[in-house]
Amino acid sequence: MSIPTLLDGHSGYAPTTTDPLLRRALSAAAPELVGAVSSIVGLSIDVTGLAGAVGDLVAIETDREEPTVAEVVAITPRTLRCMPLGSVQGLKVGMQARATGSPLMVPTGPQ
């Protein structure tokens, strides 16, 4: 069900999705899907609880300031198999992971 559908319901609310304040509020209230690291073997990190595609990036929360970013390289029925793009030091099973919703992007050409 889309946001305009929810706002168009029988409650008398008018669809005001063009209002920037309402857009920010709806965006902030949207649920965030959080997965978890289920296995770490060498440089292979398995994440469960997230949907994604090969090439997508996953941010894995760590004890450090910055999350470890990993690229999805394989998908099994229950997990995303990822390869880290940074340090894996300190990663543990059970750490939270979030899909970034975008692939790795590298600028090319004149800047």
Side-chain angles (χ1 to χ4, degrees):
M1 182 177 290
S2 68
I3 291 169
T5 304
L6 289 173
L7 294 175
D8 287 339
H10 300 301
S11 60
Y13 290 105
T16 57
T17 56
T18 58
D19 178 16
L21 183 59
L22 179 59
R23 280 188 178 283
R24 284 193 8 221
L26 289 172
S27 176
E32 182 180 21
L33 190 58
V34 178
V37 173
S38 60
S39 172
I40 303 171
V41 178
L43 291 177
S44 178
I45 303 169
D46 287 352
V47 176
T48 57
L50 291 179
V54 171
D56 284 353
L57 296 180
V58 174
I60 302 169
E61 300 298 322
T62 63
D63 296 334
R64 298 182 308 274
E65 204 171 295
E66 294 291 319
T68 295
V69 178
E71 182 178 4
V72 177
V73 295
I75 301 171
T76 66
R78 294 194 174 118
T79 64
L80 299 177
R81 182 147 301 142
C82 305
M83 294 297 282
L85 301 176
S87 174
V88 295
Q89 183 176 0
L91 288 184
K92 301 175 202 158
V93 170
M95 289 186 152
Q96 293 185 345
R98 291 175 171 77
T100 64
S102 64
L104 181 62
M105 310 253 318
V106 178
T108 59
Q111 298 301 322

